[in-house]
Amino acid sequence: MDKKKVEQEVILQYRQHEVNIEDVTNRVKAHYIAKGNSEDSIEDVQIYVKPEEFTAYYVINDSFCGKVNLF
């Protein structure tokens, strides 16, 4: 029996702001690529969301670190 795919969306709300976490993930990948890296080189991504700093910090492939604005 095939499992039904469930659509999901995660929204972070902080004060008067909100952001879709998938959008944050896409921004992280775009930032990584803009720094001269290939999308194909991405093996794993960790994103650390700090709403009080309006920032998402990330680590890609256990070595490349960066940050993007949340809102």
Side-chain angles (χ1 to χ4, degrees):
M1 181 173 189
D2 290 332
K3 246 186 161 177
K4 179 182 166 188
K5 182 178 178 187
V6 177
E7 294 294 322
Q8 65 182 18
E9 182 177 34
V10 179
I11 305 293
L12 170 69
Q13 293 181 326
Y14 183 72
R15 296 184 183 168
Q16 298 85 2
H17 305 280
E18 71 176 34
V19 64
N20 182 311
I21 295 300
E22 185 176 346
D23 292 342
V24 173
T25 302
N26 291 336
R27 263 188 265 145
V28 162
K29 290 177 181 177
H31 188 259
Y32 176 76
I33 293 165
K35 295 290 184 179
N37 301 289
S38 162
E39 184 172 10
D40 292 338
S41 71
I42 299 174
E43 294 179 11
D44 59 78
V45 180
Q46 292 87 36
I47 300 173
Y48 305 89
V49 177
K50 299 211 48 182
E52 66 276 10
E53 295 179 14
F54 299 95
T55 304
Y57 297 90
Y58 67 89
V59 179
I60 294 180
N61 300 337
D62 294 322
S63 61
F64 188 92
C65 301
K67 65 182 181 177
V68 295
N69 293 331
L70 272 179
F71 309 104

